[in-house]
Structures are given as structure tokens and as C-alpha cells.
Amino acid sequence: MLRSLLCFCLGLLLLPLSGRAQTPDTIRAVPPMRTVALDSVGVMPSAVDTKGWLLLDKDIQLELDGAVYNIYNFKFDKAEKQFRSLRRRYPNHPMPYFLLGLSTWWKIQPSSFQSKQYDKAFFAYLDTASTKAQKLFDADNTNYEASFFLSASYGFSARLHGERHDWRKATVDARRSLNYLKKSQEANGLSPEFQFGQALFNYYSVWIGENYTLLKPVLLFFPKGDKKLGLQQLRSVAANGFYTATEAKVFLMRILKNEENNAEEALPVAKQLATTYPDNGFFQRFYALLAYDQGEFADCERVSREILDKINRGMPGYEAISGRYASYFLGYLMQNRYRDLAKAKDYYQRCIVFSESTGETDGGFYLFANANLARIAAKEKDVDATKRYYGVVIDKATRKSEMYKEANMWLKKNGKAK
């Protein structure tokens, strides 16, 4: 789904905020927002001339089908070759620039936004896309394709600015995105692509208010959303969209797992994505996580082994974050399913190395790996190793956690407490 419609706006604006609450000072520092009204139902005016709209051109869709697949399967060179060909033929249209930006976005995504090496190229592509779209919109304010690309470009830009904690730029771009979302929404009845942004807005505008009370004053500037409707719309776009279908599935998978706490429903979505795009490290690690969560250990093991193999081969999108997931899952399976403690220790130690290489040592797999290594060392009566691993747990875990209590009890019992 070529996410070209994907990241449209509010979803992207709000997602960075959903990941971390802003402080009151940050909120007060941003420019005042004008209230944006969105109609609940969009209908494509019959008088609008859609001639020249690449977004609805079936021949272009057929041509780009393979390129869209290549983006999500991390074959970026092949995808970008087709987008540059499209740019040569349509140098004044925003689509090729936006698609090049989307390809760049997926180069950033697997690192959980830690890598900044593609930021300049990403922002440059989206800036060009919005400039080209603005010219089309200025020439015809009923050009809903232009407003779509304006909304999408500003929304994507807002998302990355949010990830980089540049809240002022994120807010300005998000406001622009919402303004053009309102306009492009009038074409909802023409294509499911136009409905994608509305779906994200409907869901996250409610979810954020429920989970981040500090942001409620900001949300007063936005229209009311509808979480249930947002999920229905996402499912519809996932089933019927062309460019946005895969992106809708990505958001659906993440929402079901992270926001709705429904890993059972998220699992088949993740499986479909990981199966369709087997060289996408982000999809594979998400699928491995959900398979582990739901006790589908055979699939978890298979995918985790594939991830580590692809890291060893240096495949794009396979790096330390995915390695941290895969090595922990395999360590757990070696310890608890196969009772092979030697292999379990090896995988847990790999997990620790991956975690330390990315600076992710405050919890999660890093702490669980250390705790399990301590338990194995205690079973093997290796007192020094047990002390060392439990010492990490004491330093990193919260005092109220069961893991901390376990480590503290062992250290006190064995006269090793600090």
C-alpha cells in the first residue's frame, strides 16, 4: 500500500505524541492553533474533474504495484528506480517525490527512529512534494488529489519532527496537515485512499485524550473523533485500498497490540505482513513478538532464527533492535522448551550485547535476559555470575518489581547485598 497516502496527517502527528507525553511547558511553547472542523462524511462532488490525477490512474497503479511491494520488502533500490522513472515523466506532480520520501521513511523505521542518516533526504523529498502539490492546489482548489498530498506530506513531516522532539515544527506541520485533510476528505467517496487519514484521526484524537490528560487542552482545537469508527475505517482501507492498504494494516496491527491490548487479533495481521514481506525486519520482529506473546512458539522460533541470519548477512533493515528481540525469544525457548541451558545462555548474552549497542538497557529484554542468566547461574551454582547478573537487575529494575525483589532476596541470602 504505498503509504503514499499513508502517513497523512493526524495519525502521524498524534503518534509521536502517543509515544511520549509532552510537558506543559512544551505545550505552551507551540504556536496557537486555529480550530479545524472535519465533516463526518465526505462525498466526492460530481462536478470535480479528476483528469490527470495519478492517484486514481489504474495504469499507474499497475505500474507501481511492484514498486510498492519492493518498499515494504526493503528492496529500496528497485522501488526508487521506478519512482525516479515516474518523476521523469511527471516532474511537476507531487506523487513521485512523496513516494521517494516514503521509501526513505522505511529506511528509518527499523531503527525505531534512532538512525538520523536519512533525515535530510526524507525532509527534502516531502518538502518538494508539498511544494509541487501546493502549486496544483493554488491553480484549482477543488484538486483533492493535491490536498491529499499536502496533508500526507505535512503529516509525515510532523511525525518525524515529533520523533526528533522538535515539537514546534511538528505542531506547525500537523496543523497544516489537518487543514488539507479537511479538504481532501471531500473525496472520501471516490477512493478508500482518502479515508485513511480520517481513520487515524478518528481513533487517535480520542485515544490521546483518554491517555494523556495534559494534551486535552490542545485537543479542544480538534473535532471529536470516534475510536470504533476509526478502527472500522482502518479495516476497510486495509481490505480495499491500493496505496494505503498495507499502511492501514501496519497501524491496525500496532493499535490492536499496543493501544487495545488485543494481541490475539493483532497476530493474524502481523503474520500476513511478515509473510507477504519476508525481508521486512520491522514486520518480522513484530510478528515474532506477537507469536511469543500468544504461545505460537514454533513460528516465533522460525522467524527469530531468520532475523538473526539476516542480521549476519547484513540485509537492510535488520539491525540490533531486531536482534535484541530475536535473541531473547530464542534464549527463552532454549531455556524453557528445549532445556538447553548452554544455548540459552548464548542467546541471552547476545540479547544483552544487542541491547547495550543501542542503549536500551533500562528494562524489557535486557533486564529479563540478565534475570534469566542469573537464574541459570544460580542453578549451576556459579555464585559470581549469579551475583553479577542479579546486580544488573538491582541497578536497573524498579524496587516494586518482582524481578527486583527476587534479585534482592538472593543477594541478601547469599551475603552479596550491597
Side-chain angles (χ1 to χ4, degrees):
M1 73 111 279
L2 207 178
R3 61 196 15 293
S4 79
L5 318 56
L6 140 180
C7 260
F8 90 151
C9 120
L10 195 309
L12 296 183
L13 149 71
L14 294 180
L15 278 180
L17 304 186
S18 70
R20 57 188 69 77
Q22 290 176 285
T23 64
D25 287 342
T26 304
I27 294 173
R28 287 196 294 269
V30 300
M33 296 184 73
R34 177 166 54 87
T35 300
V36 180
L38 298 178
D39 298 327
S40 59
V41 178
V43 179
M44 184 65 191
S46 59
V48 171
D49 182 9
T50 62
K51 184 179 180 180
W53 287 21
L54 300 188
L55 200 60
L56 305 182
D57 190 312
K58 297 300 182 183
D59 291 333
I60 295 295
Q61 289 184 6
L62 182 63
E63 174 187 342
L64 294 182
D65 187 38
V68 173
Y69 175 85
N70 283 329
I71 283 183
Y72 289 107
N73 207 35
F74 285 14
K75 303 297 184 286
F76 300 115
D77 289 344
K78 291 181 179 179
E80 291 171 6
K81 182 178 180 179
Q82 289 184 261
F83 299 151
R84 287 191 290 270
S85 174
L86 187 70
R87 183 176 61 183
R88 287 191 293 271
R89 284 174 287 145
Y90 302 96
N92 296 317
H93 198 283
M95 178 180 272
Y97 302 96
F98 188 74
L99 298 182
L100 286 164
L102 291 174
S103 181
T104 307
W105 171 263
W106 275 98
K107 297 175 185 178
I108 301 172
Q109 174 94 329
S111 72
S112 292
F113 303 100
Q114 291 184 7
S115 173
K116 297 183 179 180
Q117 70 179 106
Y118 301 108
D119 283 21
K120 288 185 178 179
F122 174 78
F123 286 123
Y125 282 132
L126 291 189
D127 182 65
T128 303
S130 61
T131 299
K132 299 288 185 182
Q134 189 66 57
K135 289 182 179 179
L136 295 177
F137 185 81
D138 290 343
D140 178 9
N141 63 10
T142 64
N143 188 329
Y144 299 110
E145 182 190 49
S147 60
F148 168 84
F149 281 111
L150 284 163
S151 179
S153 297
Y154 284 126
F156 237 138
S157 180
R159 173 72 187 278
L160 190 56
H161 282 309
E163 294 291 347
R164 301 299 181 232
H165 296 185
D166 191 337
W167 301 115
R168 179 174 292 274
K169 288 183 178 179
T171 302
V172 170
D173 281 347
R175 179 177 55 188
R176 291 169 175 167
S177 182
L178 280 173
N179 286 336
Y180 288 107
L181 173 63
K182 175 189 175 183
K183 300 178 188 301
S184 65
Q185 183 205 359
E186 295 179 29
N188 279 1
L190 185 64
S191 168
E193 317 297 353
F194 291 94
Q195 195 178 52
F196 179 62
Q198 178 95 36
L200 293 180
F201 180 89
N202 272 329
Y203 183 86
Y204 278 107
S205 61
V206 176
W207 185 88
I208 288 178
E210 293 174 346
N211 291 273
Y212 292 89
T213 56
L214 289 175
L215 293 177
K216 284 187 176 180
V218 177
L219 294 177
L220 293 175
F221 293 99
F222 297 97
K224 291 183 179 181
D226 184 328
K227 282 174 59 178
K228 183 177 180 181
L229 176 60
L231 283 174
Q232 290 175 348
Q233 291 171 324
L234 268 182
R235 289 189 171 97
S236 175
V237 176
N240 301 303
F242 175 77
Y243 292 107
T244 52
T246 300
E247 202 62 39
K249 292 172 186 175
V250 174
F251 277 95
L252 184 61
M253 172 183 71
R254 295 173 65 175
I255 286 172
L256 289 171
K257 171 62 171 69
N258 298 329
E259 278 72 74
E260 295 295 307
N261 195 29
N262 190 343
E264 183 178 0
E265 283 194 32
L267 178 60
V269 182
K271 182 175 183 178
Q272 182 187 41
L273 288 170
T275 302
T276 304
Y277 308 102
D279 290 335
N280 184 311
F282 177 78
F283 292 164
Q284 281 206 303
R285 76 177 185 231
F286 213 110
Y287 177 40
L289 173 65
L290 288 166
Y292 171 83
D293 182 88
Q294 293 297 295
E296 299 289 343
F297 294 129
D299 285 346
C300 178
E301 179 179 353
R302 174 181 55 78
V303 175
S304 295
R305 290 187 183 280
E306 288 177 3
I307 289 172
L308 292 182
D309 175 64
K310 290 172 183 178
I311 291 174
N312 290 336
R313 287 191 277 150
M315 291 182 62
Y318 287 86
E319 33 47 61
I321 294 177
S322 295
R324 178 168 54 93
Y325 279 63
S327 55
Y328 177 80
F329 297 147
L330 289 171
Y332 176 89
L333 292 172
M334 293 303 112
Q335 180 185 7
N336 297 285
R337 193 180 193 195
Y338 297 109
R339 309 298 180 185
D340 189 333
L341 298 186
K343 288 184 179 179
K345 288 192 290 184
D346 178 61
Y347 282 121
Y348 285 141
Q349 287 161 354
R350 287 199 225 178
C351 177
I352 290 172
V353 171
F354 280 130
S355 300
E356 290 175 343
S357 72
T358 60
E360 294 170 298
T361 60
D362 291 331
F365 297 137
Y366 180 76
L367 272 183
F368 284 115
N370 275 282
N372 285 328
L373 283 169
R375 292 165 188 150
I376 294 173
K379 186 174 182 179
E380 296 177 340
K381 302 187 185 307
D382 186 340
V383 175
D384 289 340
T386 308
K387 177 186 175 182
R388 183 170 68 254
Y389 292 125
Y390 271 143
V392 174
V393 174
I394 289 293
D395 288 339
K396 297 289 187 177
T398 59
R399 288 180 172 270
K400 293 183 179 180
S401 68
E402 292 301 317
M403 197 184 305
Y404 180 93
K405 294 176 183 177
E406 173 190 326
N408 192 47
M409 182 180 298
W410 186 92
L411 290 169
K412 285 183 176 180
K413 181 179 179 181
N414 290 272
K416 304 294 182 179
K418 294 181 179 179

